[in-house]
Amino acid sequence: MVKWCVAFNCSNSDGMDNVSMYRFPADSDRRSKWIAAVKRAKVTNVGKVETVCDKPWQPTQHDRLCSEHFVGGKKSDDPLHPAYVPTLFFHTKPLAKRQTQVALDMFDRHTTIKKKRQDSYRKMEAAETLINLSVGISTEVTVDNISKQENTEHNCSQSCSTDLTMSDISALYQECQTLREENNALREKIKRMSISEDSLKGNDEKVKYYTGLPSFMILIHIVQLIKPCLNSTVLTPFQQTVLTLKRLRMNCHLQDLAYQFDIHLSTASRIFSSVLSALTAKLVPITMKWPDREFVRETLPMAFRTTFRRSYVYQLLIVLKYLLRNLKI
């Protein structure tokens, strides 16, 4: 028996290629969401006339919903996934369809970032386990040597209880030592290559190159000053500040900064705007002092005093332009 899709204006069936047919879920909460999304009316036949009932439509065990009504082309059993409930129908507005696609893209990005972090954590955990193992082997070798010196017969009985010889243990220990040294060298290399608080600390030349600030201490003071105004993101307040200052200093593209800090382009754009607003709110009042009205009037050229007598803003602009031209700023 061919199973047809119950959605309005949909003629897909289970015999078509690249189309999957799904039963309505048994869970009452999810089932009600599917029914509400389909928006079908219950129709009854009275003689030869079809009438719409007041009762809501309920699917039977033979009713199916095809995969084209789920964003991404298939349903998902994850309650946080946009395809957990069907959203694409004939009655769905274009704006709602675009919003659903955007939600799917964001979910995929978050899933990818989460997976990368989990993989990185597992690698670090494996490296730490290997280091601990090497330390344990070295301790066992030391204890074994001490026992050998104290009691030769006890050492013989211990050596008979394992298939590993001292040369095998020494080779394993040497291998673990080599891996530990390589691991430490790689960590130091990553630390030097990255733009983090540890890599910039004590390196004023690097701080000046990337941010334009003369020292690391001034950078830390600025971070502490604007920290209450920053939003909580995947980056620390220090990283957000460095990202913004680096873009202002080196005119880096936001996509380049997103790759460097392992974030999405939209996140980098939001961080840049947020930090820039915080810098304006905190630094401008304490670093820039506008001259008062009397000073502007006293320093205004004679040719402009009669024409622009009451225009304070224009007078201010004239004075600033005059000062900049004479001071060659």
Side-chain angles (χ1 to χ4, degrees), residues 60-125:
T60 65
Q61 61 178 350
H62 304 291
D63 290 332
R64 300 289 189 273
L65 197 63
C66 72
S67 57
E68 288 190 357
H69 303 292
F70 296 86
V71 62
K74 61 179 180 179
K75 73 169 185 177
S76 174
D77 293 329
D78 186 357
L80 301 178
H81 198 283
Y84 185 71
V85 176
T87 53
L88 306 178
F89 295 95
F90 180 77
H91 56 267
T92 306
K93 296 182 179 180
L95 178 60
K97 292 182 179 179
R98 289 195 297 269
Q99 291 175 347
T100 305
Q101 186 62 43
V102 170
L104 177 63
D105 295 339
M106 292 182 62
F107 182 86
D108 292 340
R109 287 197 300 268
H110 292 166
T111 303
T112 303
I113 293 174
K114 184 178 180 182
K115 186 177 179 181
K116 288 182 179 179
R117 290 178 179 174
Q118 290 177 350
D119 292 342
S120 177
Y121 176 76
R122 283 196 294 268
K123 291 179 181 179
M124 293 295 296
E125 189 177 24

Side-chain angles (χ1 to χ4, degrees), residues 101-231:
Q101 186 62 43
V102 170
L104 177 63
D105 295 339
M106 292 182 62
F107 182 86
D108 292 340
R109 287 197 300 268
H110 292 166
T111 303
T112 303
I113 293 174
K114 184 178 180 182
K115 186 177 179 181
K116 288 182 179 179
R117 290 178 179 174
Q118 290 177 350
D119 292 342
S120 177
Y121 176 76
R122 283 196 294 268
K123 291 179 181 179
M124 293 295 296
E125 189 177 24
E128 292 177 358
T129 304
L130 185 59
I131 292 173
N132 295 333
L133 179 62
S134 65
V135 173
I137 291 177
S138 63
T139 305
E140 291 178 2
V141 172
T142 305
V143 172
D144 188 58
N145 291 335
I146 295 174
S147 300
K148 183 178 180 180
Q149 295 175 1
E150 292 179 352
N151 192 342
T152 306
E153 294 181 358
H154 179 70
N155 184 41
C156 292
S157 63
Q158 289 288 333
S159 63
C160 294
S161 63
T162 178
D163 295 333
L164 294 176
T165 62
M166 286 301 300
S167 60
D168 295 334
I169 295 177
S170 300
L172 289 174
Y173 173 71
Q174 185 65 31
E175 183 179 357
C176 290
Q177 281 292 110
T178 304
L179 291 175
R180 180 165 57 180
E181 292 174 359
E182 291 179 358
N183 186 22
N184 293 334
L186 288 174
R187 287 184 178 181
E188 290 297 327
K189 185 176 181 180
I190 293 174
K191 180 180 177 181
R192 291 193 302 269
M193 294 177 62
S194 63
I195 305 175
S196 60
E197 187 171 355
D198 293 335
S199 65
L200 295 179
K201 187 175 182 180
N203 194 340
D204 293 342
E205 183 179 354
K206 193 174 182 180
V207 171
K208 186 175 182 180
Y209 176 77
Y210 282 114
T211 66
L213 300 177
S215 66
F216 179 78
M217 293 303 299
I218 294 179
L219 176 60
I220 290 296
H221 288 321
I222 292 177
V223 173
Q224 295 299 327
L225 182 65
I226 67 174
K227 185 177 180 180
C229 302
L230 301 182
N231 299 324

Side-chain angles (χ1 to χ4, degrees), residues 24 31-32 35 40-42 55-61 63:
F24 279 76
R31 184 184 182 89
S32 61
I35 295 173
R40 282 200 56 172
K42 186 175 182 180
K55 297 181 179 181
W57 173 81
Q58 292 294 330
T60 65
Q61 61 178 350
D63 290 332

